């Protein structure tokens, strides 16, 4: 039984391709999407594997002390589940890790991990804007689901799901992506024009933008990205948001040239879909006591403390050698400035 949960935010520093396999549609290699909404997502298994590799890199490969590296490797296998068959080549090279783990877990290697990770959902999607370069868009359905997921983690906010039932397209009171046109406040997103209602100071959209800025960055962060997040968030209808995340992702055509003929090699012309840089996603990470009878078994609190060591930068998805899938992480702990239920 998982005893507590905390949100993990993922901010794409470079385009992200977590693929769903080949497709017969326009794009040969599309990204993963929710079946019922068509919103982009990252499958929990893909995310968990990437995070495990990141922990191994930070706590095992980068640890100079062999005894500490071995201790960390044991902890990783307790938390993520025992698996000696998926050790990276560098980990095996560091010391005889496979044999070491078999000896360590010889009495009990059949147990579940004590970290559970949900699918990563899309929270904010960046769209090209005529003013302000780009804006982040979201929609009532996404916000309501986000609030419901925060409630699972026993986190309350100053904005509620009922605050986003309006049919109006809205933005923050500080938005810099608007153009005044015949007394109408309009945003030019891609080739579309939206008439937006500016929120009142400290209104619901302002509260959402401020909460995201303070928890993804910090209350005192005055950097370009933190300041922009507090200003340039737009709430569109569910349908318009769905259309943008379906049609405004990055699609890249790749090819390979045959060195002998100087032409495209047969079968080597294909297209790939990417979630654009600056996209913001989130997942819930849940923790339980270690599922074993070992005397040194970890409690849920121990596991959460271990997970707080998550690297700030991880690589997720395909085309790592092309610089794709570089993601900045922000794990929201109880120490952060947010309010929990009693």
């Amino acid at each position: 039984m998982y005893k507590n949960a905390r949100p993990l935010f993922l901010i794409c520093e470079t385009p992200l391709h977590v693929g769903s396999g080949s497709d017969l549609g326009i794009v040969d290699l599309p990204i993963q999407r929710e079946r019922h909404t068509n919103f982009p997502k990252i499958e929990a298994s893909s995310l968990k594997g990437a995070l495990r590799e990141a922990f191994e890199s930070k706590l095992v490969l980068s640890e100079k002390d062999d005894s500490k590296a071995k201790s960390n490797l044991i902890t990783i296998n307790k938390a993520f589940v025992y698996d000696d068959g998926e050790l990276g080549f560098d980990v095996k090279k560091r010391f005889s890790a496979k044999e070491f783990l078999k000896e360590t877990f010889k009495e009990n290697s059949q147990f579940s991990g004590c970290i559970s990770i949900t699918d990563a959902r899309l929270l904010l999607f960046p769209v090209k804007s005529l003013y302000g370069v780009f804006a982040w868009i979201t929609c009532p359905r996404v916000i309501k689901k986000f609030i419901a997921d925060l409630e699972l983690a026993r986190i309350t906010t100053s904005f509620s799901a009922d605050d986003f039932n309006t049919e109006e397209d809205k933005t923050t009171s500080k938005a810099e992506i608007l153009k005044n046109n015949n007394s109408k406040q309009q945003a030019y997103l891609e080739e579309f024009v939206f008439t937006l209602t500016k929120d009142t100071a400290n209104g619901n959209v302002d509260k959402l933008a401020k909460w995201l800025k303070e928890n993804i960055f910090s209350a005192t962060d005055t950097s370009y990205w933190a300041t922009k997040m507090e200003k340039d968030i737009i709430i569109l209808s569910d349908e318009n948001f769905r259309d943008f995340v379906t049609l405004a992702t990055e699609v890249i055509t790749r090819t390979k040239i045959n060195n002998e003929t100087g032409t495209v090699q047969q079968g080597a012309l294909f297209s790939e879909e990417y979630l654009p840089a600056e996209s913001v996603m989130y997942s819930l990470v849940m923790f339980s006591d270690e599922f074993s009878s070992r005397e040194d078994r970890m409690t849920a609190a121990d596991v959460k403390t271990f997970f707080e060591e998550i690297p700030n930068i991880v690589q997720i998805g395909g085309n790592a050698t092309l610089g794709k899938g570089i993601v900045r992480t922000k794990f929201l702990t109880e120490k952060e400035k947010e309010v929990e239920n009693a």
Side-chain angles (χ1 to χ4, degrees):
M1 178 66 182
Y2 294 99
K3 296 188 174 180
N4 52 49
R6 304 302 299 175
L8 170 67
F9 293 99
L10 306 168
I11 304 95
C12 297
E13 297 291 335
T14 63
L16 173 69
H17 176 82
V18 183
S20 60
S22 59
D23 194 273
L24 297 177
I26 298 174
V27 180
D28 297 314
L29 299 174
I31 58 175
Q32 296 174 355
R33 293 179 179 274
E34 295 178 351
R35 178 68 176 176
H36 61 303
T37 65
N38 210 42
F39 295 172
K41 68 170 183 175
I42 302 175
E43 285 283 351
S45 57
S46 301
L47 178 57
K48 191 174 182 181
L51 293 180
R52 179 175 184 146
E53 183 179 14
F55 271 99
E56 288 181 355
S57 178
K58 178 182 178 180
L59 300 181
V60 179
L61 295 180
S62 298
E63 176 56 62
K64 297 180 179 179
D65 187 319
D66 272 3
S67 62
K68 289 183 179 179
K70 289 181 178 180
S71 175
N72 290 338
L73 186 59
I74 291 174
T75 302
I76 290 171
N77 276 266
K78 287 180 178 180
F80 283 93
V81 80
Y82 171 76
D83 188 356
D84 65 349
E86 295 299 324
L87 291 171
F89 174 78
D90 291 334
V91 176
K92 294 179 181 178
K93 189 177 178 181
R94 173 74 188 275
F95 44 76
S96 301
K98 189 169 184 176
E99 290 72 20
F100 168 72
L101 287 176
K102 281 186 176 180
E103 179 63 26
T104 302
F105 292 96
K106 63 181 180 180
E107 294 183 2
N108 180 21
S109 61
Q110 302 297 317
F111 56 87
S112 297
C114 35
I115 289 177
S116 176
I117 299 175
T118 66
D119 293 347
R121 302 178 187 276
L122 182 62
L123 179 60
L124 300 175
F125 184 76
V127 175
K128 179 171 61 178
S129 172
L130 182 61
Y131 300 97
V133 183
F134 80 93
W136 278 293
I137 65 170
T138 187
C139 68
R141 188 197 181 282
V142 167
I143 297 171
K144 291 175 183 179
K145 186 61 181 175
F146 176 59
I147 292 172
D149 286 339
L150 290 181
E151 289 174 351
L152 290 177
R154 292 188 289 181
I155 297 174
T156 58
T157 63
S158 57
F159 52 91
S160 68
D162 293 337
D163 295 338
F164 297 92
N165 286 328
T166 177
E167 296 297 324
E168 291 181 310
D169 294 332
K170 301 186 71 173
T171 188
T172 69
S173 63
K174 304 175 183 178
E176 295 182 352
I177 40 83
L178 297 176
K179 173 71 174 178
N180 195 323
N181 187 4
N182 294 326
S183 300
K184 295 181 179 179
Q185 297 288 327
Q186 295 184 322
Y188 299 79
L189 306 178
E190 295 284 349
E191 64 267 37
F192 304 100
V193 180
F194 292 89
T195 299
L196 304 180
T197 301
K198 260 192 173 185
D199 198 14
T200 56
N202 203 36
N204 300 323
V205 183
D206 274 17
K207 290 177 181 178
L208 169 67
K210 183 180 180 181
W211 191 95
L212 292 174
K213 182 256 186 182
E214 292 183 352
N215 287 281
I216 294 179
F217 297 96
S218 73
T220 57
D221 194 336
T222 57
S223 67
Y224 170 80
W225 300 110
T227 303
K228 186 171 182 63
M229 181 164 286
E230 194 171 9
K231 295 186 299 185
D232 293 338
I233 290 179
I234 298 175
I235 315 295
L236 297 180
S237 68
D238 295 344
E239 293 76 15
N240 284 332
F241 179 79
R242 178 201 59 205
D243 291 344
F244 270 115
V245 301
T246 301
L247 303 173
T249 54
E250 293 186 17
V251 177
I252 298 174
T253 300
R254 296 183 57 189
T255 187
K256 181 178 180 181
I257 302 299
N258 187 312
N259 289 331
E260 295 182 359
T261 65
T263 59
V264 176
Q265 185 168 312
Q266 186 175 0
L269 178 65
F270 60 96
S271 57
E272 290 179 320
E273 184 181 21
Y274 290 86
L275 197 63
E278 322 313 340
S279 297
V280 179
M281 309 183 80
Y282 75 95
S283 172
L284 285 185
V285 185
M286 295 170 282
F287 307 97
S288 72
D289 296 336
E290 182 184 340
F291 292 98
S292 77
S293 57
R294 296 167 58 95
E295 294 182 0
D296 60 343
R297 66 195 297 265
M298 300 172 69
T299 65
D302 295 332
V303 180
K304 185 166 67 63
T305 299
F306 157 76
F307 194 84
E308 290 174 3
E309 296 294 321
I310 183 172
N312 292 327
I313 298 292
V314 301
Q315 196 283 325
I316 302 174
N319 297 323
T321 59
L322 300 179
K324 308 298 186 183
I326 305 300
V327 174
R328 182 162 52 85
T329 64
K330 176 60 185 294
F331 181 61
L332 195 62
T333 69
E334 286 90 342
K335 300 174 185 178
E336 306 291 344
K337 185 182 177 183
E338 44 84 3
V339 182
E340 290 196 17
N341 287 330

